[in-house]
Amino acid sequence: MPIPCTRPAKALALTLALGGALTGQEASAQGLSVETGFERLSSPQTLIEGLNRLYVGYQFSETLSLGQSFYSGALGDAGGAFFWGFEGVARLPLSTGLSLSASGFIGGGGGAAQVIGDGTMVRAGLALDYQIAESWAVQLTGAWISIDGAPIDGPAFGVGLRRQIGTKTPGGWDAKLDAAGGTVTALSPQNGVLNRDGNPQDSVVLVGARALYGLGQNTQLSLGADGAGSGAQGYMQVMAGLRRNFALGPTTLFIEGGVGFGGGGLVDTGAGPLIEASAGVSLPVTRALDAQLSIGGKAAPTGDFRAAAVSLSILRNFARTRGDEGLGERPNRWAYSGGISVQQTGGNYFLNSNTASFIVMQESSFDYFLGQNLYVSGNGQTALHGGVAGYAVGLLGLGYQFDITPRWAVSLEGHVGAAGGGGVNVAGGVLGSLRAEIDYRITDRLALSVGVGQMRALRGNGLDSTIGTLGLKIPFATR
């Protein structure tokens, strides 16, 4: 998928996006902008009463950034409502420390049985920013939010926080990507925990991605996104936490606490917020790979969900291999892809009476190169058109790139992952896909990509769809 020099669900890609922001990008001298906050709908007509916003944008200039945003249910009783797409922010300085910004978002999603239809979300926002430190600002926000398929078309108001990243400033983070990889988590609910239908909550197996960033000696920031592989088709979560490490020779013990948002698959997370705590051990398997095992607990403060959690992760350790062979800090090659994909329907694609002949998805990928041509890819997708609001896909896989000429390249990829929602027959939630893409490099920093492939449910008689893709790809590097 990439060029040299593009539920787990849609949030997999955002996890890596934020990771790239925190590590700093060689290709982005202007840096990035990260914004997060809460907005309450002024006159809620559904169980979605407010949304959490997370935006990561590339700073093209002092006043303009473009990137992607992830919105999740945060108020009401709609845990599992998620929207993901593209956003831009333009900022106008008013005085020293004070600025006005305007933003525009388009994307898709749904969930929590509150959105019926396409699930396309459009948001136009204004924010008054006040600088409280060199790279930090607090925000008062107002927005007009419209969601196709739900009676949501009106104003919302809230507060936010903005962080500029890209240049070293007094008191700023100098976080570096320490480790990243895949994880499998088994959730075992406590006795008496019920799902949204009032039935006992089943055990859930999650598959997802994790990234760890060094914040200081023995302290790391943890970011993760997971989707249900079994037990709660359509469930997904996005988590962030702080980890404290205790080295015992080659072995490392750790404790971690985290917060985030999750829902779907009838899991009763209430409004969506989650808290978790865990302890574990990390063991080096090879010079570059670690195996991590942790046990802990997860709870939804505004819902009924409570569960014990056991996780196994395989992570690429970047911190241990920095400066190998006296070469100093060698850059890690990545590529970001953003665009749309089309899935052909038919056969056993739907669980309901939907007659759409095709589904349009927006998708994003982050790819990490293991060598000159081989790379690992994380792909997230959410529905934009086709009457499947809430349908989302998250994939992890391997790819191989062939350079044909200095401007043309072909990539082959294979993925496995999880999906759910929107009345799509994913036959338990586990999917596999194969695709081929051809890239035309417009500049050293940008390529146009067109692809074709096949995606199908790996369990039972579910969807089996031909897919086509169109997007842009941007290479970058981290240290």
Side-chain angles (χ1 to χ4, degrees), residues 63-121:
T63 58
L64 178 65
S65 66
L66 296 174
Q68 295 197 278
S69 287
F70 180 68
Y71 292 81
S72 57
L75 297 172
D77 191 22
F82 296 98
F83 304 88
W84 154 261
F86 303 96
E87 187 160 3
V89 177
R91 183 163 293 103
L92 174 66
L94 300 178
S95 64
T96 302
L98 191 66
S99 63
L100 180 68
S101 61
S103 59
F105 167 87
I106 183 168
Q114 300 303 294
V115 184
I116 307 298
D118 288 340
T120 305
M121 173 176 160

Side-chain angles (χ1 to χ4, degrees), residues 10 29 43 58 61 115 144 153 166-167 180 290 295 310 312 338 385 422:
K10 54 208 175 206
S43 300
Y58 173 80
S61 69
V115 184
W144 191 278
D153 188 7
T167 57
D290 288 344
I295 58 174
V310 179
L312 176 64
H385 173 79

Side-chain angles (χ1 to χ4, degrees), residues 1 10 102 150 228 247 269 322 360 393:
M1 175 176 292
K10 54 208 175 206
T269 58
R322 287 188 189 121
V360 180
V393 179

Side-chain angles (χ1 to χ4, degrees), residues 189-195 198-201 304-306:
Q190 297 178 1
N191 291 333
V193 171
L194 304 179
N195 65 18
N199 298 316
Q201 175 64 57
D304 196 51
F305 186 67
R306 306 285 189 279

Side-chain angles (χ1 to χ4, degrees), residues 41 43-49 76 78 114 150-152:
L41 301 178
S43 300
Q45 315 252 341
T46 70
L47 296 179
I48 304 172
E49 297 181 4
Q114 300 303 294
I152 299 175

Side-chain angles (χ1 to χ4, degrees), residues 33-376:
S33 180
V34 179
E35 299 181 9
T36 188
F38 297 89
E39 291 182 333
R40 183 180 183 87
L41 301 178
S42 61
S43 300
Q45 315 252 341
T46 70
L47 296 179
I48 304 172
E49 297 181 4
L51 296 170
N52 170 252
R53 171 180 178 257
L54 176 60
Y55 166 72
V56 180
Y58 173 80
Q59 203 74 39
F60 284 91
S61 69
E62 292 292 329
T63 58
L64 178 65
S65 66
L66 296 174
Q68 295 197 278
S69 287
F70 180 68
Y71 292 81
S72 57
L75 297 172
D77 191 22
F82 296 98
F83 304 88
W84 154 261
F86 303 96
E87 187 160 3
V89 177
R91 183 163 293 103
L92 174 66
L94 300 178
S95 64
T96 302
L98 191 66
S99 63
L100 180 68
S101 61
S103 59
F105 167 87
I106 183 168
Q114 300 303 294
V115 184
I116 307 298
D118 288 340
T120 305
M121 173 176 160
V122 177
R123 175 187 178 274
L126 290 174
L128 188 64
D129 296 19
Y130 180 73
Q131 206 81 18
I132 58 174
E134 186 74 21
S135 300
W136 295 92
V138 293
Q139 300 176 314
L140 291 177
T141 66
W144 191 278
I145 297 174
S146 178
I147 301 176
D148 185 12
I152 299 175
D153 188 7
F157 303 94
V159 294
L161 186 67
R162 174 169 58 87
R163 162 76 167 133
Q164 293 298 123
I165 298 173
T167 57
K168 293 186 177 181
T169 55
W173 284 340
D174 187 20
K176 293 183 178 180
L177 179 61
D178 282 351
T183 185
V184 177
T185 302
L187 298 177
S188 179
Q190 297 178 1
N191 291 333
V193 171
L194 304 179
N195 65 18
R196 287 187 180 272
D197 280 347
N199 298 316
Q201 175 64 57
D202 292 334
S203 296
V204 181
V205 176
L206 305 176
V207 291
R210 287 289 180 277
L212 298 172
Y213 306 92
L215 297 182
Q217 187 174 9
N218 299 321
T219 302
Q220 292 174 312
L221 171 68
S222 171
L223 296 174
D226 307 87
S230 67
Q233 179 178 311
Y235 175 83
M236 66 165 289
Q237 64 181 34
V238 180
M239 304 296 297
L242 288 177
R243 175 179 292 196
R244 185 70 175 176
N245 296 308
F246 305 91
L248 297 174
T251 301
T252 300
L253 303 180
F254 62 85
I255 56 174
E256 184 175 329
V259 296
F261 296 88
L266 296 179
V267 178
D268 185 6
T269 58
L274 297 171
I275 57 174
E276 65 179 6
S278 64
V281 58
S282 178
L283 297 170
V285 178
T286 70
R287 174 66 176 166
L289 294 179
D290 288 344
Q292 298 189 354
L293 178 67
S294 68
I295 58 174
K298 187 183 300 289
T302 60
D304 196 51
F305 186 67
R306 306 285 189 279
V310 179
S311 295
L312 176 64
S313 303
I314 301 296
L315 302 181
R316 168 69 163 88
N317 191 311
F318 300 102
R320 189 164 57 242
T321 55
R322 287 188 189 121
D324 275 359
E325 302 174 1
L327 297 178
E329 293 190 8
R330 294 178 294 178
N332 299 296
R333 291 174 54 217
W334 301 78
Y336 163 77
S337 303
I340 62 171
S341 63
V342 177
Q343 298 181 15
Q344 183 185 31
T345 65
N348 298 306
Y349 191 93
F350 295 112
L351 292 170
N352 52 32
S353 59
N354 193 321
T355 59
S357 58
F358 64 91
I359 302 299
V360 180
M361 310 285 286
Q362 74 86 23
E363 69 170 38
S364 299
S365 296
F366 276 81
D367 308 305
Y368 171 69
F369 280 87
L370 300 175
Q372 183 63 31
N373 303 103
L374 184 67
Y375 59 91
V376 177

